[in-house]
Amino acid sequence: MKWYAVHTFSGQEQNIKKYLEMRIESEGLQDKFGQILVPTRQVTMNGKRGKRTLTQNLLPAYIIIEMELDELTQHLVTTIQGVTHFAGTTRVNRTPIPLSQSEVDRLLGVNPDSSMGDEIQSQYERGESVCIKDGPFKGFVGTVEEVESDKLKLKVMVSVFGRPTPVVLAFNQVEHVS
């Protein structure tokens, strides 16, 4: 299976993902599809009403699909309402070009310097101390409260003005405290 980027209507990425998963199941094509991702990150905003955490799409109007490309699977994806086309198609025969492994690694939060190779960095455990290396809480040290391996997310408790504050972060936004 290879990874492909699919262009969608903006703001409809999650709905299209859910509908695509239902279509794959109803057609019995689970063996031809792997993961379907809508890359997002958590952003904390300060406003008039206080601090809010929002989910922000990293690639607005795109979903990333791991699949075996053939006429049937390509047709299934492109006939879903809200899908406009595969990104990176060749002009000659409209065949989608798969994403490079480095692009996929970046989206999945895989560390290319890791000796684990293509394995996702999920070696975090509840109660472990981590340092935040990206985002508004960069430099803060916190304790892992929850690990959501399927979503590549962690809930980390940090101390802000002496109060414990939960922060949801991607695996690639934290590192182990040495």
Side-chain angles (χ1 to χ4, degrees):
M1 286 191 210
K2 294 187 180 180
W3 289 90
Y4 297 90
V6 177
H7 188 267
T8 65
F9 291 164
S10 185
Q12 296 297 310
E13 300 90 353
Q14 291 292 344
N15 293 336
I16 291 168
K17 176 186 174 194
K18 287 177 189 172
Y19 187 69
L20 179 58
E21 289 169 342
M22 289 188 322
R23 284 277 309 271
I24 290 167
E25 191 172 331
S26 70
E27 299 284 332
L29 295 173
Q30 295 92 330
D31 59 326
K32 295 199 178 242
F33 287 88
Q35 298 179 66
I36 301 170
L37 304 175
V38 178
T40 60
R41 68 176 177 178
Q42 299 294 323
V43 179
T44 303
M45 312 257 315
N46 290 323
K48 292 180 182 178
R49 297 182 184 186
K51 198 180 290 189
R52 299 185 304 167
T53 302
L54 303 172
T55 301
Q56 181 182 52
N57 280 352
L58 291 176
L59 298 171
Y62 286 93
I63 60 173
I64 311 301
I65 304 173
E66 183 182 28
M67 62 187 278
E68 286 181 25
L69 185 71
D70 60 27
E71 283 185 34
L72 177 64
T73 58
Q74 185 175 355
H75 180 73
L76 183 127
V77 171
T78 55
T79 56
I80 290 178
Q81 186 175 359
V83 171
T84 58
H85 61 276
F86 277 86
T89 57
T90 60
R91 290 180 183 229
V92 178
N93 60 3
R94 304 302 259 173
T95 303
I97 299 171
L99 297 172
S100 70
Q101 191 59 46
S102 63
E103 291 171 315
V104 173
D105 289 347
R106 185 174 45 83
L107 291 170
L108 293 177
V110 173
N111 184 353
D113 299 330
S114 169
S115 60
M116 302 280 205
D118 293 339
E119 202 170 298
I120 297 172
Q121 294 178 349
S122 61
Q123 64 270 16
Y124 299 104
E125 295 179 12
R126 183 175 160 84
E128 179 180 7
S129 292
V130 293
C131 181
I132 300 172
K133 62 180 187 176
D134 185 30
F137 293 97
K138 183 178 181 177
F140 281 67
V141 175
T143 306
V144 176
E145 291 291 314
E146 283 182 38
V147 179
E148 297 181 45
S149 296
D150 57 330
K151 295 182 181 178
L152 306 172
K153 303 277 184 192
L154 298 169
K155 183 189 280 187
V156 178
M157 292 299 279
V158 295
S159 178
V160 179
F161 302 118
R163 293 184 174 193
T165 305
V167 181
V168 178
L169 301 161
F171 285 175
N172 63 353
Q173 289 182 289
V174 298
E175 59 190 3
H176 296 279
V177 175
S178 305

